[in-house]
Amino acid sequence: MSFAPRPQVQPWKRANTSRRFQILLASVLPIAATALIVLFAGFDANLATISIFLPLQIIAAGLVGLKAFGRRGFGDAVLVVLTIFFSAFVLILLLSVFLSVLSEGSKAISLQFLTQNNVYISNTTSLEYGGVANAILGTLLIVGITTILAVPLGIAMAVYLTQSQSKLRGLVRTVTQALSGLPSVVSGLFVLSIIVTFGFSKSGIFGSLALFPLMLPTVARVAEEALKLVPSDLRLAALALGAPNYKAFFQVILPAAKSGLITALLLGLARVIGETAPLLLTVNVNNGTSWNPFNGPMETLPAYVYGYLSSSFVSAHQRAWGAGLILLVLVAVLFGLARYLGRAKSLKSKPTKQKASK
Amino acid sequence: MTSLTTASTLSTEDISVWFGQRQVLSDVNLTFPGNKVTALIGPSGCGKSTFLRTLNRMHELIPGAGLSGSVFLDGEDIYGADFDAVSVRIKIGMVFQKPNPFPTMSIKDNILSGLRLSGRKIGNAEELVETSLRRASIWNEVKDRLNDQAISLSGGQQQRLCIARSLAMDPEVLLMDEPCSALDPGSTRRIEETIKELSSSMTIVIVTHNMQQAQRVSDQTAFFLADDNTPGGVVEFGATEQIFNGPIDQRTNDYVNGHFG
């Protein structure tokens, strides 16, 4: 059996040979010219990318567009060049942060780095000894308590802002927005003043309290947006079926907003998990492993990074990088876990049991 | 299924409605006898949908809403002290203009959602689901995929699912707010057939912009009109036959013959 050749199914992509040649020239010439200038005139490569390559590329693409479609072709081509250039720029920035943490941090990572604590370890100790288990534990406990406090309250605020008709909503929203600009060190300072005034000692729970006002506004604002996206039709449909308000909320609105509310949780988590200053002020540091957030100082990953970065020894720096990598991985794991647990319940099309036809 | 049971009679007395300071309806007096289908017609903005929402106390959910007058369900005032909004809405079901199945629930759970949401016991779930879907004439299309998500259905099927969802509550009165305005002719025809079958067991009030639909499905018709900057009201109310073929008021005649609106 033979098949007819597949006909051309994307006719809008047709271009004649001379257009193809122009596009090829416009893609290659600016890079080539920039490369030559960098190589032979000794120009700085980064500077040349912005000051030579970008203008050349805009001109080249613009000319091809102008020749093909006139003015609108010019505008389109310039926009495409700018979009791709700046997207690549941002992507490279992010990747270089990630890759440098990965390449530096991976030198410190080992099983013992994950399972041991920091007791008897100094700036000069070899990387074969000591680890961040105490810091991972502390970060998880402190951020966990913050989450338990901030997420229900943040969602409750969002519910108040979206579901009620109260006149105080504007005030609450403004205060929430103002709170989201609160510098973390000020939050730490406030909790520290409580500790000092009442004669408490620094411990994990105070770290949670210092992180709480940082996480709350993020959760509340993102959750508000998520709840706003639920069509009011659904609430009306539920009420028209005789649902009391609380059942309409819990059985209809909340499930419909679930993925948005999980995003609220994650952004809140991301906001606080790397905070250093408030934890140094309220939790202090602890080389040993502490399971008790209510008594005594605890170690946290950001504090661990900060502690070893202020040294000038290579092994200390590698410990800091390693802890930074673990913090990144921890965030990724928590994000993945939350997405997995919160995924939409898959309603598979199982064939329903058929009754005998009547 | 077809045995004729006498359904409740719904009637209104001097219903006037305000949004903030603006009065949008004035002194509506209508009676919806049991097992009859009543069509509410009139140009956009004349207050007929608003009126429909006063009949099952959905009106009061709108911020700034006001109301005077009474709505009687078999002689009892649904705005009276003995009734609360929830028990009114259980007895008087509603189908909205846009299909609004619950997107996070399966077809089956959508049908059962009414009973769950209003906190009532579900006797035989399988049977209730089948009966409700059959009454909304959508059973044959969905019987093999009751566990699929409701939003996987087409628009017309979603609307019939919403009707089935209301029917599962076994309401005494069913209010329909332009239920076919977003649907194709085929789905519209099936919903109209459903309405006729349902009238054997309940009282139906339907808002529609489609004159042919009003003539096809209804026993009696009320024509609403709001003149510029005055509250809307009922111009003429009577048997559908009479409203369309021999209206008394000139404005009704102009409207049903498509001269304005």
Side-chain angles (χ1 to χ4, degrees), chain A residues 165 233-234 236-244 247-248 251-252 255-256 347-352 354-355 358, chain B residues 58 61 63 86 89 96 98 100-105 116-119 130 143-149 165 169:
Chain A
Q165 308 292 344
D233 285 12
L234 293 181
L236 290 180
L239 295 179
L241 288 167
K247 276 196 177 171
Q251 294 188 18
V252 173
L347 298 162
K348 291 223 181 75
S349 60
K350 312 175 255 198
T352 336
Q354 278 272 25
K355 284 189 205 159
K358 292 167 192 168
Chain B
M58 290 298 281
L61 296 172
V86 166
R89 292 174 196 147
F96 293 77
K98 248 175 57 190
N100 53 6
F102 298 129
T104 53
M105 298 182 195
R116 285 182 185 147
L117 284 167
S118 59
E130 180 173 344
K143 64 183 176 193
D144 296 329
R145 46 182 182 138
L146 293 178
N147 291 316
D148 280 16
Q149 267 183 303
R165 184 175 67 185
M169 305 281 290

Side-chain angles (χ1 to χ4, degrees), chain A residues 30 37 42 45 49-50 97 125 139 159 169 212 246 270 293 303:
Chain A
I37 290 171
T49 308
I50 302 246
V97 170
T125 312
T139 286
V159 171
R169 283 180 304 169
F212 174 72
Y246 79 95

Side-chain angles (χ1 to χ4, degrees), chain B residues 118-137:
Chain B
S118 59
R120 291 191 294 168
K121 285 239 154 51
I122 300 171
N124 185 340
E126 302 281 323
E127 194 184 318
L128 179 68
V129 169
E130 180 173 344
T131 316
S132 308
L133 289 168
R134 274 188 194 282
R135 288 174 81 190
S137 24

Side-chain angles (χ1 to χ4, degrees), chain B residues 43 211 223 247 249-261:
Chain B
M211 295 301 116
F223 172 53
D249 196 290
Q250 183 60 37
R251 292 170 295 176
T252 313
N253 190 40
D254 289 348
Y255 183 75
V256 299
N257 290 307
H259 295 313
F260 74 94

Side-chain angles (χ1 to χ4, degrees), chain A residues 190-201:
Chain A
F190 175 72
V191 175
L192 179 63
S193 75
I194 293 177
I195 296 174
V196 171
T197 310
F198 293 96
F200 298 124
S201 61

